[in-house]
Amino acid sequence: MNIGIDHGYYAMKTRHFSFPAGIAEYSHEPYTLQNTLEFGGKFYVCGTGRQPILRNKMENDHYYLLTLAAIAKEIRYRGEEPRCSVTIGAGLPLTGFGREKKAFREYLLSSSQPVNPVCFRFEGVPYEVRIEDVKLFPQGYSAIAMHPELIRGEPSILLMDIGGWTVDLMRLDNGVPDAASCRSLELGMIRCVDEIREQVRRDTGLSVTDAQIEGVLSEKACSMEETARNIIQKQGRIYTERLLSAVMESGFDLRAIPVVMLGGGAAVVKRNISEQDGLCRVFALLDEKVNAEGFERILGQISSRVSKG
């Protein structure tokens, strides 16, 4: 089967799941089998917190292990047999696509365990998965495979993929990416949440959690002192202003070119944009799994062409 996976700093996303990209290692069976991966004689609880920021996601086995967990979740959800073959569709920012493509593909194919099929347990269920291939696609641009109507009739459009650590910018002219214009800003939601937490602590003495901050930014119900809530909402607007300013400084006139926002931070930024910003036009793809769905859609199209070939 084809499985699209978006390897974010903040969260791992597949077509049907999104879970935090953190991972905790245990030498012995942990307190729960929920989200627990058993591999190589060790136990890993997947989805606990978030990853430390790595300049290179291939520095250790964590993203490989999270990939196995993501595959197991999708196999179970789709009702497939735990002994099967999988083709992975994954993504990289266009700014580093050519530089990282070969290494990331090899990493997902084998990591430090060059065994195919890969045998592991997830939540107590044994899996035997043969990873047939890994296809890599540009992040953001792949999401357009799910929503081609957003660029139809627009000569130029800016894709703004607001992830955990980076905000990746890509201009499309007549539906074709302009590689020379691509930028990657280290202004993702991790930076936003960390700065909000520190501001709340300075002003109120309260130590709020990431989950509480995300809840308030998303306008979800959350029991919290009103002063802290107001600070979080105000900082959300400050972050949005700073991000829009950085995008303009990168050479994109947001008053002249429509913007398609996606990624985990799209909802927060869209919610904090006001009329005074004077932006041309903003579309927001609020499903954070849209990149993974796009990877899988393209894989399906490739498979179809090959079978017809």
Side-chain angles (χ1 to χ4, degrees):
M1 76 190 77
N2 296 327
I3 298 181
I5 304 176
D6 185 359
H7 299 78
Y9 279 112
Y10 209 74
M12 293 285 291
K13 282 88 66 179
T14 64
R15 180 176 158 195
H16 298 105
F17 296 95
S18 174
F19 59 96
I23 190 167
E25 179 181 326
Y26 295 84
S27 299
H28 305 284
E29 185 174 318
Y31 59 94
T32 177
L33 285 180
Q34 184 176 2
N35 292 320
T36 296
L37 173 76
E38 183 181 350
F39 180 72
K42 294 183 179 179
F43 297 86
Y44 305 88
V45 178
C46 304
T48 57
R50 68 189 190 207
Q51 286 273 10
I53 296 302
L54 303 172
R55 289 295 176 181
N56 183 341
K57 293 179 181 178
M58 297 165 279
E59 285 183 16
N60 55 42
D61 279 351
H62 285 184
Y63 275 100
Y64 180 74
L65 298 170
L66 290 167
T67 297
L68 297 182
I71 289 172
K73 284 175 174 285
E74 281 293 321
I75 290 173
R76 181 179 57 192
Y77 182 89
R78 302 182 196 191
E80 301 289 347
E81 292 296 323
R83 182 176 183 180
C84 60
S85 296
V86 167
T87 296
I88 297 173
L92 290 168
L94 196 59
T95 49
F97 190 81
R99 181 180 67 251
E100 299 177 11
K101 181 179 178 181
K102 183 175 183 292
F104 195 48
R105 179 178 180 274
E106 292 175 352
Y107 173 83
L108 293 179
L109 276 173
S110 63
S111 188
S112 62
Q113 293 287 119
V115 178
N116 210 355
V118 183
C119 298
F120 61 94
R121 287 178 176 267
F122 186 72
E123 296 188 340
V125 177
Y127 289 83
E128 186 176 319
V129 177
R130 180 176 296 278
I131 301 176
E132 295 285 356
D133 200 1
V134 174
K135 300 288 188 183
L136 295 171
F137 309 103
Q139 289 174 196
Y141 183 61
S142 300
I144 295 299
M146 304 298 297
H147 297 277
E149 72 280 0
L150 296 180
I151 64 173
R152 193 174 296 129
E154 290 287 356
S156 294
I157 200 161
L158 176 65
L159 287 182
M160 186 185 300
D161 190 349
I162 307 169
W165 184 243
T166 61
V167 177
D168 296 313
L169 307 172
M170 179 194 306
R171 195 182 78 219
L172 304 181
D173 293 332
N174 298 312
V176 179
D178 178 7
S181 70
C182 292
R183 300 288 185 274
S184 188
L185 311 176
E186 292 185 352
L187 282 173
M189 286 306 297
I190 291 175
R191 178 77 63 86
C192 173
V193 170
D194 286 349
E195 291 179 354
I196 288 175
R197 188 192 312 104
E198 181 59 23
Q199 189 65 47
V200 171
R201 189 193 62 77
R202 283 199 298 261
D203 291 355
T204 69
L206 297 174
S207 297
V208 294
T209 67
D210 289 5
Q212 287 177 304
I213 293 171
E214 292 163 13
V216 173
L217 290 175
S218 301
E219 298 182 349
K220 295 178 181 177
C222 178
S223 299
M224 182 182 293
E225 186 179 296
E226 193 62 26
T227 302
R229 182 185 297 275
N230 291 337
I231 292 170
I232 292 172
Q233 292 170 339
K234 179 181 178 181
Q235 290 298 123
R237 171 60 188 172
I238 290 173
Y239 165 76
T240 298
E241 291 175 351
R242 188 165 64 148
L243 175 58
L244 297 181
S245 177
V247 172
M248 296 278 277
E249 290 171 5
S250 297
F252 303 100
D253 191 342
L254 301 181
R255 297 161 299 183
I257 183 172
V259 181
V260 176
M261 295 181 178
L262 62 147
V268 172
V269 174
K270 179 67 166 62
R271 192 173 289 113
N272 281 284
I273 290 175
S274 65
E275 290 186 8
Q276 72 189 51
D277 296 313
L279 303 192
C280 174
R281 193 176 181 188
V282 177
F283 306 93
L285 302 178
L286 301 183
D287 184 355
E288 62 178 334
K289 301 185 291 296
V290 69
N291 264 319
E293 292 181 46
F295 302 151
E296 199 163 305
R297 172 76 64 87
I298 297 172
L299 273 181
Q301 293 170 348
I302 293 171
S303 300
S304 177
R305 287 198 298 267
V306 170
S307 63
K308 291 178 182 178

